[in-house]
């Protein structure tokens, strides 16, 4: 392990706020990085679940580039504040990010490896640093003042690459396994549903057959003349 070098967070990244949007813009348009996408992912997914109708100028101002880091800006609890998500590649020129998210764009190259910083910013150490620097009122907020107080302790770039690539491969494997598990769950639910429908249909058929049999028996026995019994 190489020695750690201390860097001021704000010397390595430039922080920008996201777009302020209305309800009318939501649900159609360009891919949109929401609070939940950042909160739930170490790395930006290839397909974003949210859309936002925006202009070309807005797409330029609130753009997403390779190695950008996205941070949740505000939260009702400290635990959900400044959760990070990293763009390891640029997926679309039309992508942009929410006003509930801050964008950290690298100022330099060759100092921070994006796959490494993704795990560093989610580490217990960095979460503890945030806890110590957060002033809680009604909501916790990640702002310029807090950003300027934070420091990163990083190994040399080559060491970051080795560590980051290993952890990234593990994270992608976990994602794949989760998709398989989700698919298996859906398949099991589908099988149970089909079985239940088939069972219900079969029971209805058997009930119908039973009713028909009873009806036939009634018709047969209603036409039978029984001999009278003498005394």
């Amino acid at each position: 392990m190489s020695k750690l070098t201390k860097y001021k967070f704000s010397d390595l990244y430039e922080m920008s706020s996201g777009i302020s949007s209305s309800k009318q813009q939501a649900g159609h348009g360009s891919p949109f990085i929401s609070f939940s996408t950042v909160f739930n992912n170490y790395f930006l997914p290839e397909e974003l679940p949210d859309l936002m109708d925006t202009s070309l100028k807005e797409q330029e101002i609130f753009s997403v580039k390779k190695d950008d880091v996205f941070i949740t800006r505000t939260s009702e609890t400290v635990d959900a504040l400044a959760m990070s998500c990293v763009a390891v590649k640029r997926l679309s020129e039309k992508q942009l990010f929410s006003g509930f998210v801050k964008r950290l764009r690298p100022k330099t190259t060759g100092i921070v490896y994006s796959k490494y910083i993704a795990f560093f910013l989610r580490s217990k150490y960095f979460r503890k640093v945030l806890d110590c620097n957060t002033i809680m009122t009604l909501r916790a907020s990640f702002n310029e003042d807090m950003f300027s107080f934070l420091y990163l302790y990083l190994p040399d770039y080559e060491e970051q690459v080795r560590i980051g690539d290993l952890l990234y491969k593990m994270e992608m494997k976990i994602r794949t396994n989760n998709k398989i598990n989700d698919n298996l769950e859906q398949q099991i639910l589908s099988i149970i549903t089909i079985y239940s429908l088939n069972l219900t249909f079969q029971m209805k058929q058997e009930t119908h057959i039973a009713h028909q049999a009873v009806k036939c028996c009634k018709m047969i026995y209603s036409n039978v003349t029984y001999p009278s019994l003498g005394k």
Side-chain angles (χ1 to χ4, degrees):
M1 182 73 179
S2 61
K3 70 174 184 178
L4 301 179
T5 304
K6 182 180 178 181
Y7 297 96
K8 198 171 184 179
F9 205 174
S10 57
D11 287 342
L12 299 178
Y13 289 92
E14 179 184 4
M15 188 163 73
S16 302
S17 298
I19 186 173
S20 296
S21 56
S22 63
K23 291 183 179 179
Q24 290 73 23
Q25 291 175 270
H28 60 284
S30 303
F32 182 70
I33 301 174
S34 65
F35 181 100
S36 60
T37 295
V38 173
F39 185 84
N40 292 314
N41 295 278
Y42 279 53
F43 300 97
L44 205 61
E46 293 195 4
E47 293 185 9
L48 296 176
D50 302 290
L51 299 174
M52 187 66 62
D53 185 25
T54 55
S55 66
L56 292 176
K57 184 63 175 177
E58 288 171 326
Q59 291 169 19
E60 180 182 347
I61 295 172
F62 306 104
S63 63
V64 179
K65 294 183 178 180
K66 181 180 180 298
D67 298 331
D68 282 351
V69 178
F70 297 93
I71 300 279
T72 54
R73 178 181 63 82
T74 183
S75 173
E76 293 179 354
T77 63
V78 177
D79 292 341
L81 179 68
M83 296 296 282
S84 61
C85 179
V86 177
V88 292
K89 59 182 177 180
R90 190 175 189 181
L91 301 173
S92 169
E93 293 183 356
K94 295 183 177 181
Q95 280 183 337
L96 65 169
F97 61 104
S98 166
F100 293 101
V101 172
K102 293 284 190 180
R103 181 189 67 197
L104 307 182
R105 178 156 288 171
K107 293 181 178 180
T108 62
T109 58
I111 295 178
V112 182
Y113 185 54
S114 60
K115 291 178 182 177
Y116 177 86
I117 202 66
F119 294 98
F120 178 89
L121 296 179
R122 291 264 186 163
S123 66
K124 290 183 179 180
Y125 162 76
F126 190 74
R127 299 305 306 169
K128 186 65 176 178
V129 171
L130 287 173
D131 289 347
C132 294
N133 284 276
T134 300
I135 299 174
M136 188 70 187
T137 52
L138 293 177
R139 295 180 69 88
S141 180
F142 186 82
N143 52 36
E144 292 282 354
D145 288 338
M146 182 188 293
F147 184 49
S148 66
F149 295 150
L150 298 177
Y151 288 86
L152 306 180
Y153 293 85
L154 305 174
D156 63 55
Y157 190 78
E158 290 73 19
E159 187 74 12
Q160 291 182 51
V161 171
R162 286 192 291 271
I163 296 171
D165 285 345
L166 174 61
L167 295 177
Y168 180 79
K169 288 178 182 178
M170 293 173 64
E171 176 66 17
M172 293 303 102
K173 182 64 176 176
I174 290 171
R175 279 193 190 185
T176 301
N177 290 342
N178 288 339
K179 286 182 181 179
I180 293 172
N181 291 338
D182 291 343
N183 188 43
L184 286 174
E185 183 178 351
Q186 290 299 320
Q187 288 185 11
I188 291 170
L189 290 174
S190 298
I191 291 170
I192 292 173
T193 302
I194 293 171
Y195 177 78
S196 299
L197 290 172
N198 288 339
L199 184 61
T200 302
F201 179 73
Q202 183 178 351
M203 291 176 65
K204 286 182 177 180
Q205 277 193 320
E206 291 176 351
T207 302
H208 176 71
I209 292 171
H211 282 309
Q212 291 296 107
V214 170
K215 188 183 292 186
C216 289
C217 289
K218 286 181 178 179
M219 291 177 62
I220 292 171
Y221 287 106
S222 64
N223 295 325
V224 172
T225 303
Y226 295 96
S228 59
L229 297 175
K231 293 183 178 179

